[in-house]
Amino acid sequence: MSEVTKVGIVVDGRSIEVVEGASLVDVLRLAGIDVPTLCWTRDVDPPLGTCRVCAVRVDGREVAACTLAVRAGMQVECAAPDLAELQQGVVELLFAEGNHFCPACEKSGDCELQTMGYRMGMTHSRFPYRFESYSLDYRGQRLMLERNRCIHCKRCTDLFTDDEGHRVFCFLGKGSQTQVVMDLEREAKLSEHKCDEAVALCPVGAILRKGRGFDRPIGTRASDTPERMDR
Ligand code: FES
């Protein structure tokens, strides 16, 4: 059994003892600090680090908390108002970049981006909406891609596999033209359970089940309850 080494770090002026090498996000949440995350999912190593919503300040520099492992002597700042502003700015940019019409989205109520916006008290994006139109892909047997909502978090491309361990999703293109695509042969062989897993892994409404709409009544959806949406 590997030995656990405890080290001291300082979080918002408070000294705490933590397990060396643990994820800073996990450590902060254990300490009762609610760091927002979108692309991060527990126990994924290395973390995706794509969304940057989890911005904190470590030793004077803004960093994505989910990408850092704790080390002795870290000085971590989470409570500064400018950090909350920075985190909300990232969420607003995501809303402005895609087409997120929440009332009409099948994932509404179970969308992590939407929940994040609610939690931050966001009413609109301060950034100009781009209103780009990205293509939809209906060719799957049971899954479809609504690319207007994709935030390029890489959860589906990097974390999702079929029952044989093959990846099903990948990105094509560069920069703002990057789009998620799926291997149609592998998609056709996915089990029902795996299809549901792909939909649940997507933090927004970009991967959907065909033929299914608003099947979770209001009151039972993730954002209808006060619990966090931790993964
Ligand atoms: Fe840390 Fe996305 S949650 S970069």
Side-chain angles (χ1 to χ4, degrees), residues 36-40 49-54 64-67:
T37 57
L38 266 181
C39 69
W40 180 80
T50 50
C51 76
R52 320 310 275 186
V53 169
C54 60
C66 74
T67 64

Side-chain angles (χ1 to χ4, degrees), residues 82-229:
D82 66 319
L83 288 170
E85 182 74 11
L86 180 58
Q87 293 163 351
Q88 182 167 332
V90 174
V91 171
E92 290 180 21
L93 276 171
L94 291 172
F95 270 97
E97 188 176 45
N99 294 320
H100 300 278
F101 305 117
C102 299
C105 177
E106 298 83 346
K107 201 76 178 276
S108 186
D110 285 319
C111 170
E112 295 178 46
L113 180 64
Q114 180 192 36
T115 302
M116 192 69 64
Y118 281 139
R119 283 177 49 199
M120 291 177 166
M122 181 189 150
T123 55
H124 64 282
S125 174
R126 78 195 83 165
F127 303 104
Y129 289 89
R130 294 183 65 212
F131 294 124
E132 294 275 1
S133 182
Y134 300 100
S135 65
L136 279 64
D137 189 344
Y138 295 101
R139 295 172 301 157
Q141 296 288 311
R142 280 163 297 167
L143 294 180
M144 59 167 280
L145 299 176
E146 214 306 12
R147 297 190 178 105
N148 290 289
R149 302 169 185 158
C150 179
I151 59 169
H152 304 105
C153 66
K154 294 175 93 178
R155 279 191 186 173
C156 62
T157 59
D158 289 25
L159 308 182
F160 182 78
T161 59
D162 63 15
D163 283 317
E164 289 160 359
H166 299 121
R167 293 207 169 146
V168 177
F169 301 93
C170 71
F171 282 146
L172 280 186
K174 286 186 180 166
S176 63
Q177 297 311 308
T178 305
Q179 59 178 20
V180 63
V181 294
M182 60 185 163
D183 182 317
L184 293 173
E185 279 182 28
R186 289 188 179 145
E187 186 274 344
K189 294 181 192 151
L190 289 177
S191 63
E192 287 290 306
H193 169 74
K194 274 287 172 182
C195 287
D196 288 341
E197 186 185 310
V199 173
L201 189 59
C202 177
V204 290
I207 302 177
L208 298 169
R209 290 294 301 258
K210 290 172 90 170
R212 266 200 215 164
F214 304 87
D215 52 352
R216 294 235 294 154
I218 291 174
T220 64
R221 307 170 309 174
S223 64
D224 299 330
T225 54
E227 290 93 48
R228 290 196 38 84
M229 293 182 74

